[in-house]
Amino acid sequence: ISTNDLTSREVEVLTLIAQGRSNRQIGDDLHIAEGTVKAHVNSILGKLGANDRTHAVTIAFQRGILNL
């Protein structure tokens, strides 16, 4: 998978997850509903083949989707 497989919004959400933000905080930051954040998270997990949020962040760093 490449960054192109994640939408720009999904990358934004993943970046905030990596910063330790909760779904509610991410929703507040991006001015979207918490349910919408959950939908993005589920999409990210599916696209990356991740088991959970932490696993998704680990995969994203390994694949160069996110950088320190």
Side-chain angles (χ1 to χ4, degrees):
I1 192 167
S2 69
T3 307
N4 297 337
D5 294 324
L6 295 177
T7 66
S8 59
R9 181 61 98 184
E10 288 168 347
V11 173
E12 281 181 291
V13 169
L14 193 53
T15 300
L16 291 168
I17 291 169
Q19 294 171 4
R21 311 287 283 164
S22 69
N23 285 350
R24 175 172 290 188
Q25 290 169 324
I26 292 168
D28 289 346
D29 290 347
L30 300 179
H31 308 289
I32 59 179
E34 189 175 353
T36 304
V37 176
K38 289 179 182 177
H40 287 310
V41 171
N42 287 331
S43 178
I44 291 164
L45 296 180
K47 289 179 180 182
L48 295 180
N51 300 320
D52 56 38
R53 292 161 59 106
T54 304
H55 192 207
V57 170
T58 302
I59 291 169
F61 278 115
Q62 288 171 340
R63 298 185 183 171
I65 297 168
L66 297 179
N67 299 298
L68 290 174

